[in-house]
Amino acid sequence: MSPPAAAAKSLTTAATLFAGATNTTPSTNDSATFHFVVDGAVQTLSTQNAPGNAPIRGLLFVPSLDAENSCNNLTAPLIPTNVTRYSDVERFRFPTIGLAPWVTAECAQSFLDASQRAGSDALVFFLPASNNSKPPPAEDPTWSLSNGGDWKSRNILPVYAIPGPAGVTLMHQLAWYSGNTSHAHNGHNESASMPGEPDIRLFSLIDFERGQNKMPSLWGFILAILGTILVLSMIVLLCYQLVQKRRRESLQRRIESGEVDMEMLGLHLMKVPREVLDTLPIYTYPDWGALSDISEANDKSCLRSDEVHEVEAKDEGTNSSPDTPTDVKAEDTIEDSGKEESGDRELSTQADIIAPGTPSSSQSQSSISTCTKDTPPKLKRLSHSQTTCAICLDDFIPHVSTIRELTCGHIFHVECIDASLSLNSCLCPMCKKSVLPPGYYPVPITNRVVHRDYMIRRTV
Protein backbone atom coordinates (compact mmCIF):
# COMPACT_ATOMS: atom_id res chain seq x y z
CA MET A 1 0.00 0.00 0.00
CA SER A 2 1.48 3.34 -1.13
CA PRO A 3 1.85 6.15 1.41
CA PRO A 4 -0.66 9.02 1.28
CA ALA A 5 0.17 11.77 -1.21
CA ALA A 6 1.72 14.92 0.21
CA ALA A 7 0.88 18.50 -0.71
CA ALA A 8 2.72 20.01 -3.68
CA LYS A 9 5.55 22.33 -2.74
CA SER A 10 6.96 23.72 -5.98
CA LEU A 11 6.69 23.62 -9.77
CA THR A 12 9.93 23.87 -11.73
CA THR A 13 9.86 24.30 -15.51
CA ALA A 14 12.85 24.43 -17.85
CA ALA A 15 13.38 24.43 -21.60
CA THR A 16 14.89 21.08 -22.56
CA LEU A 17 16.58 20.12 -25.80
CA PHE A 18 15.42 16.87 -27.38
CA ALA A 19 17.66 15.29 -30.02
CA GLY A 20 16.35 14.62 -33.50
CA ALA A 21 15.73 11.22 -34.98
CA THR A 22 19.11 11.16 -36.85
CA ASN A 23 21.13 12.59 -33.96
CA THR A 24 23.02 10.33 -31.57
CA THR A 25 23.21 12.83 -28.72
CA PRO A 26 21.22 12.18 -25.52
CA SER A 27 17.49 12.62 -25.81
CA THR A 28 17.44 15.55 -23.36
CA ASN A 29 19.87 18.08 -21.99
CA ASP A 30 19.89 21.29 -19.97
CA SER A 31 21.46 23.58 -22.55
CA ALA A 32 18.30 25.69 -23.01
CA THR A 33 18.15 29.08 -21.31
CA PHE A 34 14.61 29.20 -19.90
CA HIS A 35 14.21 28.21 -16.24
CA PHE A 36 11.14 29.09 -14.17
CA VAL A 37 10.32 28.07 -10.57
CA VAL A 38 7.07 28.47 -8.63
CA ASP A 39 8.10 27.75 -5.03
CA GLY A 40 5.68 27.71 -2.10
CA ALA A 41 2.79 29.00 -4.22
CA VAL A 42 1.44 25.68 -5.56
CA GLN A 43 -1.99 24.65 -4.26
CA THR A 44 -3.08 21.01 -4.22
CA LEU A 45 -6.68 20.59 -5.42
CA SER A 46 -6.85 16.79 -5.78
CA THR A 47 -4.45 13.96 -4.93
CA GLN A 48 -6.13 11.19 -6.91
CA ASN A 49 -3.51 8.68 -8.17
CA ALA A 50 -0.67 10.91 -6.98
CA PRO A 51 2.63 8.99 -6.65
CA GLY A 52 3.00 9.55 -2.92
CA ASN A 53 5.95 11.80 -2.14
CA ALA A 54 7.80 11.11 -5.39
CA PRO A 55 8.04 14.10 -7.77
CA ILE A 56 5.87 14.21 -10.89
CA ARG A 57 7.90 14.79 -14.08
CA GLY A 58 6.60 15.38 -17.59
CA LEU A 59 6.53 17.50 -20.74
CA LEU A 60 4.23 20.50 -20.36
CA PHE A 61 1.38 20.90 -22.86
CA VAL A 62 -2.13 22.41 -23.21
CA PRO A 63 -4.99 19.88 -23.56
CA SER A 64 -6.96 20.20 -26.79
CA LEU A 65 -10.76 20.58 -26.63
CA ASP A 66 -13.27 19.41 -29.20
CA ALA A 67 -13.68 21.78 -32.14
CA GLU A 68 -17.34 22.49 -31.35
CA ASN A 69 -16.65 23.22 -27.67
CA SER A 70 -17.57 26.80 -26.78
CA CYS A 71 -14.65 26.99 -24.35
CA ASN A 72 -12.30 27.37 -27.31
CA ASN A 73 -13.65 30.88 -27.87
CA LEU A 74 -13.63 31.75 -24.15
CA THR A 75 -10.01 30.70 -23.67
CA ALA A 76 -8.69 31.93 -27.02
CA PRO A 77 -7.30 35.20 -25.56
CA LEU A 78 -5.36 33.14 -22.98
CA ILE A 79 -4.06 30.30 -25.16
CA PRO A 80 -1.90 31.23 -28.20
CA THR A 81 -2.70 29.42 -31.44
CA ASN A 82 0.78 27.94 -31.76
CA VAL A 83 0.96 26.69 -28.15
CA THR A 84 2.40 23.20 -27.50
CA ARG A 85 -0.29 20.54 -27.72
CA TYR A 86 -0.33 16.85 -26.88
CA SER A 87 0.33 15.93 -30.52
CA ASP A 88 3.62 17.85 -30.27
CA VAL A 89 4.96 15.86 -27.30
CA GLU A 90 3.49 12.38 -27.61
CA ARG A 91 6.17 11.26 -30.07
CA PHE A 92 8.84 11.66 -27.38
CA ARG A 93 7.18 8.95 -25.26
CA PHE A 94 7.68 10.95 -22.07
CA PRO A 95 5.20 11.52 -19.24
CA THR A 96 3.15 14.64 -19.71
CA ILE A 97 1.65 17.40 -17.52
CA GLY A 98 -1.29 19.50 -18.70
CA LEU A 99 -1.62 23.28 -18.24
CA ALA A 100 -5.00 25.06 -18.60
CA PRO A 101 -6.72 28.29 -17.47
CA TRP A 102 -9.61 28.11 -15.02
CA VAL A 103 -12.21 30.38 -16.62
CA THR A 104 -15.54 28.72 -15.84
CA ALA A 105 -16.60 25.50 -14.20
CA GLU A 106 -17.72 24.04 -17.55
CA CYS A 107 -14.44 24.86 -19.28
CA ALA A 108 -12.46 23.48 -16.31
CA GLN A 109 -14.37 20.22 -16.58
CA SER A 110 -13.66 20.11 -20.34
CA PHE A 111 -9.90 20.58 -19.80
CA LEU A 112 -10.01 17.94 -17.07
CA ASP A 113 -11.68 15.42 -19.41
CA ALA A 114 -9.27 16.22 -22.25
CA SER A 115 -6.25 15.79 -19.99
CA GLN A 116 -7.57 12.42 -18.79
CA ARG A 117 -8.10 11.27 -22.38
CA ALA A 118 -4.52 12.24 -23.25
CA GLY A 119 -3.26 10.16 -20.33
CA SER A 120 -1.28 12.92 -18.68
CA ASP A 121 0.20 12.38 -15.23
CA ALA A 122 -1.16 15.63 -13.76
CA LEU A 123 -3.06 18.81 -14.61
CA VAL A 124 -2.13 22.35 -13.53
CA PHE A 125 -4.76 25.13 -13.46
CA PHE A 126 -4.21 28.87 -13.10
CA LEU A 127 -6.62 31.75 -12.52
CA PRO A 128 -5.90 34.31 -15.28
CA ALA A 129 -7.59 37.26 -13.52
CA SER A 130 -5.91 36.57 -10.15
CA ASN A 131 -2.80 38.34 -8.98
CA ASN A 132 -2.53 36.54 -5.65
CA SER A 133 0.79 35.11 -4.61
CA LYS A 134 -0.91 31.75 -3.97
CA PRO A 135 -4.21 30.36 -5.30
CA PRO A 136 -7.13 29.78 -2.89
CA PRO A 137 -7.16 26.50 -0.94
CA ALA A 138 -8.92 23.42 -2.28
CA GLU A 139 -11.97 24.01 -0.04
CA ASP A 140 -12.61 27.44 -1.60
CA PRO A 141 -15.83 27.74 -3.68
CA THR A 142 -13.69 28.95 -6.57
CA TRP A 143 -12.77 25.35 -7.35
CA SER A 144 -16.35 24.03 -7.33
CA LEU A 145 -17.73 22.47 -10.50
CA SER A 146 -21.31 21.55 -11.37
CA ASN A 147 -21.17 18.61 -8.93
CA GLY A 148 -19.60 20.68 -6.16
CA GLY A 149 -16.40 19.13 -4.84
CA ASP A 150 -17.14 15.55 -5.92
CA TRP A 151 -14.98 15.94 -9.02
CA LYS A 152 -11.88 15.79 -6.82
CA SER A 153 -12.58 12.16 -5.98
CA ARG A 154 -13.96 11.11 -9.39
CA ASN A 155 -11.12 12.19 -11.65
CA ILE A 156 -8.20 9.86 -12.31
CA LEU A 157 -5.25 12.26 -12.07
CA PRO A 158 -3.91 14.74 -9.50
CA VAL A 159 -4.79 18.39 -9.98
CA TYR A 160 -2.83 21.46 -8.83
CA ALA A 161 -3.13 25.24 -9.15
CA ILE A 162 -0.51 27.98 -9.55
CA PRO A 163 -0.84 31.77 -9.39
CA GLY A 164 -2.31 33.53 -12.44
CA PRO A 165 0.87 35.42 -13.48
CA ALA A 166 2.89 32.18 -13.34
CA GLY A 167 0.34 30.42 -15.54
CA VAL A 168 0.36 33.23 -18.11
CA THR A 169 4.18 33.11 -18.25
CA LEU A 170 4.23 29.37 -18.82
CA MET A 171 1.52 29.67 -21.48
CA HIS A 172 3.61 32.18 -23.46
CA GLN A 173 6.71 30.00 -23.13
CA LEU A 174 4.74 27.01 -24.45
CA ALA A 175 4.00 29.10 -27.54
CA TRP A 176 7.63 30.22 -27.87
CA TYR A 177 9.20 26.74 -27.47
CA SER A 178 6.81 24.93 -29.74
CA GLY A 179 9.16 24.09 -32.64
CA ASN A 180 12.77 23.14 -33.34
CA THR A 181 15.87 25.00 -32.27
CA SER A 182 16.28 27.14 -35.38
CA HIS A 183 12.67 28.18 -35.28
CA ALA A 184 12.89 29.19 -31.65
CA HIS A 185 16.10 31.12 -32.12
CA ASN A 186 14.89 32.92 -35.23
CA GLY A 187 11.65 33.91 -33.53
CA HIS A 188 9.43 31.81 -35.72
CA ASN A 189 6.36 30.17 -34.18
CA GLU A 190 5.99 27.19 -36.44
CA SER A 191 4.83 24.16 -34.57
CA ALA A 192 6.47 21.55 -36.75
CA SER A 193 10.17 20.91 -36.79
CA MET A 194 12.21 19.64 -39.69
CA PRO A 195 12.97 15.92 -39.67
CA GLY A 196 16.23 15.10 -37.86
CA GLU A 197 16.54 18.49 -36.22
CA PRO A 198 16.55 18.78 -32.38
CA ASP A 199 13.49 20.14 -30.56
CA ILE A 200 13.10 22.28 -27.43
CA ARG A 201 10.20 21.53 -25.11
CA LEU A 202 9.24 22.68 -21.62
CA PHE A 203 9.94 20.01 -19.06
CA SER A 204 8.17 20.45 -15.67
CA LEU A 205 8.69 18.89 -12.25
CA ILE A 206 6.18 19.03 -9.41
CA ASP A 207 7.88 18.49 -6.06
CA PHE A 208 6.18 17.72 -2.73
CA GLU A 209 6.64 18.48 0.93
CA ARG A 210 9.06 16.16 2.67
CA GLY A 211 7.53 16.63 6.16
CA GLN A 212 6.00 13.13 6.18
CA ASN A 213 9.37 11.53 5.50
CA LYS A 214 11.09 13.32 8.35
CA MET A 215 11.59 11.81 11.74
CA PRO A 216 8.70 12.45 14.11
CA SER A 217 8.96 15.39 16.43
CA LEU A 218 10.33 15.09 19.95
CA TRP A 219 6.85 15.16 21.48
CA GLY A 220 5.64 12.46 19.11
CA PHE A 221 8.64 10.33 20.01
CA ILE A 222 8.02 10.83 23.72
CA LEU A 223 4.32 10.01 23.36
CA ALA A 224 5.18 6.84 21.45
CA ILE A 225 7.54 5.74 24.22
CA LEU A 226 4.97 6.52 26.93
CA GLY A 227 2.28 4.63 25.04
CA THR A 228 4.55 1.61 24.69
CA ILE A 229 5.43 1.71 28.38
CA LEU A 230 1.73 1.97 29.28
CA VAL A 231 0.79 -1.02 27.15
CA LEU A 232 3.64 -3.11 28.54
CA SER A 233 2.73 -2.10 32.09
CA MET A 234 -0.87 -3.20 31.56
CA ILE A 235 0.28 -6.54 30.17
CA VAL A 236 2.67 -7.09 33.08
CA LEU A 237 -0.04 -6.09 35.59
CA LEU A 238 -2.51 -8.51 34.02
CA CYS A 239 0.02 -11.35 34.14
CA TYR A 240 0.86 -10.49 37.76
CA GLN A 241 -2.82 -10.58 38.74
CA LEU A 242 -3.27 -13.98 37.11
CA VAL A 243 -0.20 -15.36 38.90
CA GLN A 244 -1.35 -13.92 42.24
CA LYS A 245 -4.81 -15.40 41.77
CA ARG A 246 -3.32 -18.85 41.29
CA ARG A 247 -1.11 -18.38 44.35
CA ARG A 248 -4.11 -17.33 46.47
CA GLU A 249 -6.07 -20.38 45.37
CA SER A 250 -3.10 -22.64 46.11
CA LEU A 251 -2.62 -21.08 49.57
CA GLN A 252 -6.34 -21.48 50.32
CA ARG A 253 -6.11 -25.19 49.52
CA ARG A 254 -3.03 -25.59 51.72
CA ILE A 255 -4.75 -23.77 54.59
CA GLU A 256 -7.79 -26.02 54.33
CA SER A 257 -5.59 -29.10 54.39
CA GLY A 258 -3.67 -27.84 57.46
CA GLU A 259 -0.27 -27.57 55.71
CA VAL A 260 0.31 -23.91 56.66
CA ASP A 261 1.59 -22.42 59.91
CA MET A 262 -1.34 -20.11 60.66
CA GLU A 263 0.52 -18.16 63.34
CA MET A 264 3.29 -17.21 60.92
CA LEU A 265 0.69 -15.82 58.54
CA GLY A 266 -0.37 -13.16 61.05
CA LEU A 267 -3.01 -14.86 63.14
CA HIS A 268 -2.47 -12.31 65.92
CA LEU A 269 -4.49 -9.93 63.74
CA MET A 270 -7.50 -12.26 63.60
CA LYS A 271 -10.44 -12.64 65.97
CA VAL A 272 -12.35 -15.74 67.05
CA PRO A 273 -16.04 -15.76 66.05
CA ARG A 274 -18.75 -16.78 68.48
CA GLU A 275 -19.47 -20.08 66.74
CA VAL A 276 -15.88 -21.18 67.39
CA LEU A 277 -15.93 -19.97 71.02
CA ASP A 278 -19.03 -22.06 71.69
CA THR A 279 -17.10 -25.22 70.79
CA LEU A 280 -14.55 -24.69 73.60
CA PRO A 281 -15.54 -26.57 76.83
CA ILE A 282 -16.53 -24.83 80.08
CA TYR A 283 -15.90 -26.36 83.53
CA THR A 284 -16.27 -25.50 87.21
CA TYR A 285 -12.83 -25.22 88.71
CA PRO A 286 -12.19 -28.39 90.84
CA ASP A 287 -10.48 -28.86 94.23
CA TRP A 288 -7.13 -30.23 93.19
CA GLY A 289 -6.33 -31.35 96.79
CA ALA A 290 -9.50 -33.45 96.99
CA LEU A 291 -8.79 -34.90 93.56
CA SER A 292 -5.27 -35.83 94.75
CA ASP A 293 -6.70 -37.66 97.82
CA ILE A 294 -9.18 -39.46 95.62
CA SER A 295 -6.37 -40.57 93.34
CA GLU A 296 -4.34 -41.93 96.30
CA ALA A 297 -7.39 -43.71 97.73
CA ASN A 298 -8.11 -45.14 94.33
CA ASP A 299 -4.55 -46.46 94.07
CA LYS A 300 -4.76 -48.03 97.57
CA SER A 301 -8.11 -49.55 96.74
CA CYS A 302 -6.77 -51.03 93.57
CA LEU A 303 -3.74 -52.38 95.44
CA ARG A 304 -5.95 -53.86 98.22
CA SER A 305 -8.22 -55.46 95.66
CA ASP A 306 -5.24 -57.03 93.95
CA GLU A 307 -4.02 -58.45 97.24
CA VAL A 308 -7.43 -59.97 97.95
CA HIS A 309 -7.48 -61.58 94.50
CA GLU A 310 -4.02 -62.99 95.08
CA VAL A 311 -5.07 -64.47 98.46
CA GLU A 312 -8.20 -65.99 96.93
CA ALA A 313 -6.15 -67.48 94.13
CA LYS A 314 -3.70 -68.93 96.66
CA ASP A 315 -6.52 -70.40 98.76
CA GLU A 316 -8.04 -72.03 95.76
CA GLY A 317 -4.70 -73.52 94.80
CA THR A 318 -3.97 -75.00 98.22
CA ASN A 319 -7.54 -75.86 99.17
CA SER A 320 -7.05 -73.63 102.31
CA SER A 321 -4.86 -74.49 105.31
CA PRO A 322 -6.39 -76.73 108.09
CA ASP A 323 -4.92 -74.46 110.77
CA THR A 324 -6.78 -71.37 109.50
CA PRO A 325 -10.54 -71.30 110.13
CA THR A 326 -12.70 -70.71 107.12
CA ASP A 327 -14.86 -68.16 108.86
CA VAL A 328 -11.80 -65.98 109.63
CA LYS A 329 -10.93 -65.78 105.96
CA ALA A 330 -14.50 -64.92 105.11
CA GLU A 331 -14.55 -62.14 107.70
CA ASP A 332 -11.36 -60.65 106.27
CA THR A 333 -12.82 -60.76 102.79
CA ILE A 334 -16.06 -59.09 103.90
CA GLU A 335 -14.12 -56.37 105.76
CA ASP A 336 -11.96 -55.64 102.71
CA SER A 337 -15.01 -55.48 100.45
CA GLY A 338 -16.67 -52.98 102.77
CA LYS A 339 -13.60 -50.78 102.66
CA GLU A 340 -13.61 -50.92 98.89
CA GLU A 341 -17.27 -49.90 98.69
CA SER A 342 -16.65 -47.06 101.16
CA GLY A 343 -13.76 -45.80 99.01
CA ASP A 344 -15.88 -46.01 95.84
CA ARG A 345 -18.70 -44.00 97.43
CA GLU A 346 -16.23 -41.32 98.55
CA LEU A 347 -14.73 -41.16 95.07
CA SER A 348 -18.11 -40.80 93.39
CA THR A 349 -19.01 -37.98 95.80
CA GLN A 350 -15.81 -36.03 94.96
CA ALA A 351 -16.15 -36.67 91.23
CA ASP A 352 -19.46 -34.77 91.04
CA ILE A 353 -17.69 -31.38 91.08
CA ILE A 354 -17.57 -31.16 87.29
CA ALA A 355 -19.98 -28.72 85.69
CA PRO A 356 -22.67 -29.64 83.17
CA GLY A 357 -21.57 -30.30 79.61
CA THR A 358 -19.25 -33.14 80.74
CA PRO A 359 -20.02 -36.87 80.93
CA SER A 360 -22.60 -37.98 83.53
CA SER A 361 -21.59 -38.66 87.14
CA SER A 362 -22.13 -42.37 86.83
CA GLN A 363 -19.94 -42.55 83.73
CA SER A 364 -17.30 -40.42 85.47
CA GLN A 365 -17.43 -42.67 88.55
CA SER A 366 -17.02 -45.73 86.40
CA SER A 367 -14.13 -44.24 84.38
CA ILE A 368 -12.34 -42.96 87.49
CA SER A 369 -12.87 -46.04 89.77
CA THR A 370 -11.93 -48.52 87.05
CA CYS A 371 -8.16 -48.97 87.33
CA THR A 372 -5.44 -51.13 85.95
CA LYS A 373 -1.83 -51.46 86.93
CA ASP A 374 -0.44 -50.12 83.66
CA THR A 375 -2.83 -47.16 82.91
CA PRO A 376 -3.22 -44.29 85.48
CA PRO A 377 -6.69 -42.72 85.85
CA LYS A 378 -7.45 -39.51 83.80
CA LEU A 379 -9.44 -36.75 85.49
CA LYS A 380 -11.56 -35.08 82.80
CA ARG A 381 -9.72 -32.87 80.25
CA LEU A 382 -7.86 -30.55 82.64
CA SER A 383 -4.18 -31.03 81.79
CA HIS A 384 -2.76 -27.88 83.48
CA SER A 385 -3.30 -27.46 87.22
CA GLN A 386 -3.43 -23.65 87.00
CA THR A 387 -4.52 -21.79 90.10
CA THR A 388 -4.64 -18.27 88.62
CA CYS A 389 -6.24 -16.73 85.51
CA ALA A 390 -3.36 -15.35 83.40
CA ILE A 391 -5.55 -12.48 82.14
CA CYS A 392 -7.07 -10.94 85.30
CA LEU A 393 -4.46 -12.54 87.69
CA ASP A 394 -7.24 -13.62 90.11
CA ASP A 395 -7.06 -17.03 91.77
CA PHE A 396 -9.58 -19.69 90.83
CA ILE A 397 -12.05 -20.59 93.58
CA PRO A 398 -12.72 -24.35 93.76
CA HIS A 399 -16.32 -25.36 93.03
CA VAL A 400 -17.17 -21.65 92.28
CA SER A 401 -15.06 -20.26 89.39
CA THR A 402 -16.31 -21.07 85.92
CA ILE A 403 -13.41 -21.66 83.52
CA ARG A 404 -13.01 -22.25 79.80
CA GLU A 405 -10.35 -24.63 78.56
CA LEU A 406 -8.62 -23.93 75.22
CA THR A 407 -7.40 -26.53 72.76
CA CYS A 408 -3.87 -26.19 74.13
CA GLY A 409 -5.07 -27.14 77.67
CA HIS A 410 -4.72 -23.75 79.38
CA ILE A 411 -7.70 -22.49 81.41
CA PHE A 412 -9.06 -18.98 82.05
CA HIS A 413 -12.14 -17.26 83.39
CA VAL A 414 -14.87 -17.48 80.77
CA GLU A 415 -15.48 -13.72 80.64
CA CYS A 416 -11.74 -12.99 80.46
CA ILE A 417 -10.82 -15.41 77.69
CA ASP A 418 -13.95 -14.73 75.62
CA ALA A 419 -13.19 -10.99 75.54
CA SER A 420 -9.55 -11.63 74.66
CA LEU A 421 -10.29 -14.06 71.82
CA SER A 422 -13.18 -12.12 70.29
CA LEU A 423 -11.65 -8.63 70.55
CA ASN A 424 -7.85 -8.94 70.58
CA SER A 425 -6.40 -12.14 69.19
CA CYS A 426 -7.16 -15.73 68.36
CA LEU A 427 -4.01 -16.93 70.15
CA CYS A 428 -3.75 -18.38 73.63
CA PRO A 429 -2.45 -15.64 75.98
CA MET A 430 0.04 -18.08 77.48
CA CYS A 431 1.44 -20.39 74.77
CA LYS A 432 0.40 -18.31 71.73
CA LYS A 433 -1.16 -21.28 69.97
CA SER A 434 -4.11 -20.73 67.67
CA VAL A 435 -7.58 -21.46 69.01
CA LEU A 436 -9.05 -21.70 65.51
CA PRO A 437 -9.68 -25.16 64.08
CA PRO A 438 -7.21 -26.47 61.46
CA GLY A 439 -8.00 -25.03 58.03
CA TYR A 440 -10.28 -22.34 59.40
CA TYR A 441 -9.44 -18.89 57.94
CA PRO A 442 -12.27 -16.36 58.28
CA VAL A 443 -10.56 -13.51 56.39
CA PRO A 444 -10.00 -13.55 52.59
CA ILE A 445 -6.61 -14.54 51.23
CA THR A 446 -4.85 -11.36 50.05
CA ASN A 447 -1.68 -10.79 48.03
CA ARG A 448 0.03 -9.66 51.22
CA VAL A 449 -0.68 -12.98 52.91
CA VAL A 450 0.52 -14.81 49.79
CA HIS A 451 3.76 -12.80 49.82
CA ARG A 452 4.29 -13.52 53.53
CA ASP A 453 3.78 -17.24 52.94
CA TYR A 454 6.23 -17.11 50.01
CA MET A 455 8.91 -15.40 52.14
CA ILE A 456 8.39 -17.91 54.96
CA ARG A 457 8.87 -20.84 52.61
CA ARG A 458 12.03 -19.26 51.18
CA THR A 459 13.59 -18.91 54.61
CA VAL A 460 12.81 -22.47 55.64
Side-chain angles (χ1 to χ4, degrees), residues 37 76 97 103 105 175 189 194 204 233 238 255 315 336 339:
V37 178
I97 297 176
V103 180
N189 294 327
M194 297 298 294
S204 296
S233 301
L238 180 60
I255 289 176
D315 291 342
D336 292 341
K339 291 182 180 180

Side-chain angles (χ1 to χ4, degrees), residues 316-335:
E316 290 177 0
T318 57
N319 261 339
S320 71
S321 174
D323 297 335
T324 304
T326 303
D327 55 350
V328 175
K329 295 180 182 179
E331 290 178 359
D332 293 339
T333 302
I334 293 172
E335 182 180 356

Side-chain angles (χ1 to χ4, degrees), residues 437-457:
Y440 184 85
Y441 201 70
V443 298
I445 304 298
T446 61
N447 293 339
R448 185 176 180 181
V449 177
V450 172
H451 178 71
R452 186 183 297 114
D453 175 68
Y454 174 74
M455 297 303 297
I456 292 173
R457 286 189 292 168

Side-chain angles (χ1 to χ4, degrees), residues 344-360:
D344 290 342
R345 285 194 299 272
E346 182 180 0
L347 181 61
S348 64
T349 302
Q350 295 293 337
D352 288 338
I353 63 175
I354 307 303
T358 61
S360 63

